[in-house]
Amino acid sequence: MDDPVLRVQSQLTDRDRVLLGWLYDHGVLTSFQIAHALFPSLDFCQRRLRTLYRLRLVARFRPQRADGGSYPYHYVIDQLGAEVVAAGRDERPPRRDHARVERRRWTSSRTLGHRLGVNGFFTDLAGYARTHPDAGLGEWLSETACQRSGVFTRPGDPALVRAYQPRVRPDGYGLWAVRGIGVPFFLEYDTGGEPLPVLVRKLAGYREWFATVGRVWPVLFWLHSAARERNLRRVLAETPPLVPVATGARDHAAAAGLCPAGAVWAVVGGDGQRSTLADLAAWVIDDRDLTGEAA
């Protein structure tokens, strides 16, 4: 019997496989995000996406703007693409309605903007790494993946630690590396919808999490405006966090022409100077070599 997964395998590039894995894990990406992260030009990207669409590996939709017109194409995994990813990872095949459920989820989701913002943070890092050979996005885990039991613990850790369920839900986890120095971090992507005390209270959960796994990584608050960042830092100055925290503002970064890899991060309790993401390695406590292997 003809197996469509086997039939399409020979037509895929390594870049295609990365993209399909991202869509499978992170839900939805715009054509602009995909182009910036993986391709040398938007035109090249769009041609390849059309091919993947014709092969039924990816699906797409185009939200309408409230003031007229439409947004760029938004891409999600199609059923065959999901089956290709699962086969490549030696996982059980996805449900037959996996792609339909995912597509419906994002075309009707009130959280689409937030998810695209989170994913844009990581694709910005990937895009920077694409043009800077000394940098790399070694890991990118979704909110859901961060909740899996034992995902951040070593194989030899006690069962209690492996089964620990954190009290916080980071929007994502990443491992950023520059010139061989790795910076694991958790991301809190803020849209301004939560009161600042709610953001601050999340840090107690991170403190418990780090104490349980025996590691400490920076928690990044990526805020929508410099004014929001100033207000958050004022609250944090009154109740100093017991975990490393760095804040950045998207409008400040955009005005400076910088992405999250650049000097956009101010460490809470620091000297007020902006640091690059790689500079935050100074606040990491981790016994691994940060290439994913235990030390």
Side-chain angles (χ1 to χ4, degrees), residues 99-110:
R100 180 176 59 81
V101 170
E102 283 294 293
R103 185 162 57 249
R104 180 182 298 172
R105 174 186 180 190
W106 294 116
T107 54
S108 61
S109 175
R110 295 182 179 180

Side-chain angles (χ1 to χ4, degrees), residues 6-257:
L6 293 177
R7 187 176 67 246
V8 80
Q9 291 280 10
S10 63
Q11 302 180 59
L12 296 178
T13 67
D14 289 343
R15 178 165 47 199
D16 294 336
R17 296 179 191 280
V18 169
L19 172 58
L20 293 177
W22 283 356
L23 292 176
Y24 188 78
D25 292 335
H26 304 290
V28 57
L29 293 166
T30 70
S31 54
F32 291 138
Q33 290 173 335
I34 295 167
H36 178 62
L38 294 173
F39 289 85
S41 73
L42 178 61
D43 183 62
F44 184 8
C45 173
Q46 289 173 328
R47 290 199 306 270
R48 189 58 187 166
L49 286 172
R50 284 194 292 270
T51 297
L52 298 178
Y53 177 73
R54 287 195 296 269
L55 291 171
R56 304 186 68 84
L57 292 162
V58 301
R60 65 189 185 186
F61 63 95
R62 203 169 204 174
Q64 299 299 306
R65 294 181 182 272
D67 56 354
S70 59
Y71 289 98
Y73 275 121
H74 292 43
Y75 284 85
V76 295
I77 199 77
D78 209 340
Q79 189 65 30
L80 181 56
E83 292 171 4
V84 167
V85 173
R89 295 176 178 178
D90 198 23
E91 297 175 352
R92 293 178 59 184
R95 298 183 315 180
R96 293 184 178 181
D97 64 346
H98 176 89
R100 180 176 59 81
V101 170
E102 283 294 293
R103 185 162 57 249
R104 180 182 298 172
R105 174 186 180 190
W106 294 116
T107 54
S108 61
S109 175
R110 295 182 179 180
T111 62
L112 175 61
H114 182 266
R115 175 57 66 93
L116 288 174
V118 172
N119 291 352
F121 179 95
F122 287 96
T123 55
D124 279 349
L125 290 179
Y128 180 94
R130 182 175 57 79
T131 57
H132 294 76
D134 61 345
L137 180 60
E139 291 183 71
W140 171 15
L141 299 182
S142 68
E143 173 188 350
T144 300
C146 288
Q147 300 302 306
R148 292 174 187 153
S149 178
V151 67
F152 296 113
T153 58
R154 294 172 288 272
D157 285 335
L160 179 62
V161 175
R162 291 200 303 274
Y164 172 71
Q165 294 296 320
R167 294 193 296 114
V168 287
R169 297 184 66 90
D171 291 315
Y173 162 86
L175 174 58
W176 181 243
V178 176
R179 292 184 291 277
I181 299 176
V183 184
F185 64 87
F186 285 119
L187 174 67
E188 289 286 342
Y189 184 92
D190 176 64
T191 60
E194 291 183 309
L196 294 177
V198 173
L199 300 185
V200 174
R201 284 198 293 271
K202 293 180 180 181
L203 296 175
Y206 282 109
R207 185 166 65 248
E208 179 183 290
W209 194 344
F210 294 146
T212 301
V213 301
R215 297 172 179 145
V216 178
W217 306 321
V219 178
L220 309 183
F221 283 96
W222 193 225
L223 303 136
H224 71 90
S225 71
R228 173 87 163 168
E229 182 188 15
R230 285 193 298 272
N231 291 334
L232 175 61
R233 294 182 68 83
R234 187 158 45 245
V235 175
L236 288 170
E238 297 169 357
T239 56
L242 298 180
V243 298
V245 174
T247 64
R250 298 193 288 281
D251 62 351
H252 168 266

Side-chain angles (χ1 to χ4, degrees), residues 230-294:
R230 285 193 298 272
N231 291 334
L232 175 61
R233 294 182 68 83
R234 187 158 45 245
V235 175
L236 288 170
E238 297 169 357
T239 56
L242 298 180
V243 298
V245 174
T247 64
R250 298 193 288 281
D251 62 351
H252 168 266
L258 297 172
C259 78
V264 298
W265 300 106
V267 177
V268 174
D271 59 10
Q273 297 297 310
R274 297 283 175 175
S275 301
T276 67
L277 183 53
D279 292 334
L280 301 184
W283 281 266
V284 172
I285 300 175
D286 202 313
D287 61 358
R288 298 173 299 166
D289 64 7
L290 297 182
T291 62
E293 301 295 333

